Amino acid sequence: MNKLYIGNVSAEASEEDFESIFEQWKIPHSGPFLVKSGYAFVDCPDEKAAMRAIDVLSGKVELHGKLLEVEHSVPKRQRSCKLQIRNIPPHMQWEVLDSMLAQYGTVESCEQVNTDTETAVVNVRYAAKDQARLVMEKLNGYMMENYALKVSYIPDETAAPEGPGVGGRRGFNARGPPRSGSPGMGARPKVQSDIPLRVLVPTQFVGAIIGKEGATIRNITKQTHSKIDIHRKENAGAAEKPITIHSTPEGCSKACTTIMEIMQKEALDTKFTEEIPLKILAHNNFVGRLIGKEGRNLKKIEQDTGTKITISPLQDLTLYNPERTITVKGSIEACSRAEEEVMKKVREAYESDMAAMNLQSNLIPGLNLNALGLFPSGTPGMGPSMSNFPPSGAHGGCSSFGGQPESETVHLFIPALAVGAIIGKQGQHIKQLSHFAGASIKIAPAEGMDAKQRMVIIVGPPEAQFKAQCRIFGKLKEENFFGPKEEVKLEAHIKVPSFAAGRVIGKGGKTVNELQNLTCAEVVVPRDQTPDENDQVIVKITYKRVHLILNKKCLISGTHFPFPKN
């Protein structure tokens, strides 16, 4: 991939002109320039030199009055599903890019490329040629935060001569550190942990961690082969900000150590005298196993690393923050060792839970358990990062075509005053939410001038439903529609065939009582309902904890109860 195509070349250009330009910019090349009418070719000794030529020359250097365009030279037979996207804004959140790329098709892989430029570069593989072609048409030159994106093909050695690209990464050579999963993306390389490292840092040190024009954070990501998101906009005015690090366990630990060193240096420079402990965020699901019976696991980590570790109380948990804060005090070296041991326990707990969930997945046929957000990838600031497992076989009347779960409709009720926040400026938020969840989301018209609630109509497969519901209520919490100590009751309506309503209730109310005990939710099948035109009735679900929506919704929906279609 070291052969370059140089376009927009003046008819007056000569081989000597290109020799002079490459020498001026200290770009090595391994062969003569082949100059044609309007374009030229040249070989570079390695990928680094080719990338430098593209970054330094393309759209920036003029020759005989024409701005040169430099990109990888890709034979037509290899113009398949692989693209390189350059000039990505340096401070852009990856979740925004992932959401944008997912609009044009199924992203099978998306990997960051290390460069010396201020802007970011990624290599993307789509599932089909027409999807990659559409991205070329739509995004090449697209302005994003005052940066014009540059999109070009890169050689796809596995490209088939005919037909769309197939799934998987057969023969795919990673060019940079793996990034976290995108919406619709397949499994990430196994070396990268499904559980990112989440830490809290004092707000006053965030600027030092980012560095001038993002230079420091870019350097950390390059050295540790990681993707780091600093959630500056979360909790405006808060004394601490969360940082999410996606990498291998070793990469996460190395990045964490570097961040601690930066904070310590900044504290010395600013005469900050307070102790700066390491604060790790971990989902409450895993904390019990981290502590161990009678606190043995935690005590052993303290003894082995020479640190003092405390964990925030359960009372600090909120509806939309299921994370506990693990505070580690000690030297940087000691805190680093403790982080490795703490996260090792957390990852073991996660893997154990995932194995147990996969064993039980046949209970909910056709449902992608990993996409639901049952585990910490659904916590604030952490995009979906889990692998997509294939759906289990069709049991219990789950109607599907081509292995895809059947779409269903759910009605959510939100405060009327919150409609603007959900829609967003020019509809941007609801569009992004729809793309992220993979569901159709519409807000029904108000039932009257004084209506206090509005109905949100969500149409999509079960996992898309769950993603959409959690994000909508997360937005309401973020916009302060619920008070910090208010017990938030969330209501959703789902329709079931009228003849099956009795199955939801069960003999003597046994089934509905079991559902309520299992999920801590109120499940009501209103009596004396008149079925609608589709012979369906409404089941009302009111719940208090978002992470329990999923259990209840799975059990109520047709994916568990066999509701045959007429």
Side-chain angles (χ1 to χ4, degrees), residues 257 300 337:
T257 302
K300 187 175 189 308
R337 292 200 305 272

Side-chain angles (χ1 to χ4, degrees), residues 289-323:
R289 283 164 285 182
L290 166 64
I291 296 170
K293 190 175 182 181
E294 298 177 353
R296 289 173 190 166
N297 291 345
L298 209 57
K299 287 175 186 174
K300 187 175 189 308
I301 294 173
E302 287 181 317
Q303 291 167 1
D304 291 348
T305 61
T307 56
K308 176 64 178 173
I309 303 175
T310 56
I311 298 177
S312 61
L314 279 168
Q315 289 84 343
D316 289 355
L317 294 178
T318 63
L319 185 66
Y320 290 97
N321 179 26
E323 293 175 300

Side-chain angles (χ1 to χ4, degrees), residues 238-533:
E240 296 172 312
K241 298 291 183 184
I243 294 178
T244 304
I245 305 169
H246 297 269
S247 185
T248 61
E250 296 77 15
C252 287
S253 297
K254 190 175 178 183
C256 179
T257 302
T258 305
I259 288 170
M260 285 193 289
E261 290 169 347
I262 290 169
M263 288 195 294
Q264 187 178 69
K265 182 179 183 303
E266 182 69 7
L268 290 171
D269 293 345
T270 58
K271 296 181 171 56
F272 183 83
T273 56
E274 295 177 27
E275 183 180 7
I276 309 171
L278 170 62
K279 292 189 177 182
I280 301 170
L281 296 174
H283 197 283
N284 185 53
N285 287 357
F286 309 138
V287 170
R289 283 164 285 182
L290 166 64
I291 296 170
K293 190 175 182 181
E294 298 177 353
R296 289 173 190 166
N297 291 345
L298 209 57
K299 287 175 186 174
K300 187 175 189 308
I301 294 173
E302 287 181 317
Q303 291 167 1
D304 291 348
T305 61
T307 56
K308 176 64 178 173
I309 303 175
T310 56
I311 298 177
S312 61
L314 279 168
Q315 289 84 343
D316 289 355
L317 294 178
T318 63
L319 185 66
Y320 290 97
N321 179 26
E323 293 175 300
R324 307 269 293 273
T325 303
I326 303 162
T327 302
V328 185
K329 292 185 178 181
S331 66
I332 289 179
E333 201 174 304
C335 288
S336 296
R337 292 200 305 272
E339 178 273 325
E340 291 176 11
E341 294 302 318
V342 166
M343 289 306 297
K344 181 181 177 182
K345 291 291 182 186
V346 168
R347 291 181 184 110
E348 286 173 357
Y350 164 79
E351 287 163 6
S352 173
D353 284 357
M354 285 303 299
M357 287 296 292
N358 288 327
L359 285 173
Q360 297 177 36
S361 61
N362 286 336
L363 294 175
I364 310 171
L367 188 62
N368 183 348
L369 293 169
N370 299 296
L372 305 185
L374 283 166
F375 294 104
S377 67
T379 56
M382 297 165 67
S385 63
M386 298 182 194
S387 308
N388 288 331
F389 287 77
S392 54
H395 298 268
C398 174
S399 301
S400 62
F401 297 91
Q404 296 299 313
E406 186 177 273
S407 182
E408 59 183 40
T409 301
V410 171
H411 295 162
L412 270 178
F413 293 88
I414 64 172
L417 294 174
V419 169
I422 298 299
I423 294 174
K425 189 176 181 181
Q426 296 180 335
Q428 284 303 306
H429 183 264
I430 200 166
K431 286 178 186 174
Q432 286 182 356
L433 177 59
S434 181
H435 286 307
F436 164 79
S440 165
I441 304 173
K442 295 179 181 178
I443 297 179
E447 293 185 355
M449 292 293 290
D450 299 324
K452 292 183 179 180
Q453 285 190 317
R454 291 285 290 277
M455 183 169 69
V456 181
I457 305 167
I458 308 174
V459 181
E463 55 264 34
Q465 291 282 352
F466 308 148
K467 286 183 180 181
Q469 290 179 48
C470 289
R471 283 298 176 96
I472 286 171
F473 285 119
K475 182 68 173 175
L476 296 183
K477 187 71 175 176
E478 180 186 314
E479 298 290 339
N480 297 316
F481 283 99
F482 307 129
K485 294 184 179 179
E486 184 180 349
E487 182 180 62
V488 183
K489 290 188 177 181
L490 315 176
E491 185 173 318
H493 293 180
I494 183 169
K495 291 185 176 182
V496 301
S498 60
F499 62 82
R503 300 186 196 179
V504 177
I505 298 170
K507 188 175 181 180
K510 183 181 178 182
T511 304
V512 76
N513 287 334
E514 286 178 353
L515 287 174
Q516 293 182 136
N517 291 334
L518 174 67
T519 64
C520 300
E522 182 183 1
V523 182
V524 178
V525 184
R527 296 184 181 277
D528 304 322
Q529 281 192 75
T530 302
D532 63 14
E533 66 276 9

Side-chain angles (χ1 to χ4, degrees), residues 22 34 63 84 93 109 112 143 162 211 260 319 332 346 348 379 478 489 554:
F22 272 61
L34 181 61
L63 180 61
Q84 186 168 94
Q93 290 290 315
S109 64
Q112 187 177 358
M143 294 300 296
E162 299 291 340
M260 285 193 289
L319 185 66
I332 289 179
V346 168
E348 286 173 357
T379 56
E478 180 186 314
K489 290 188 177 181
C554 293

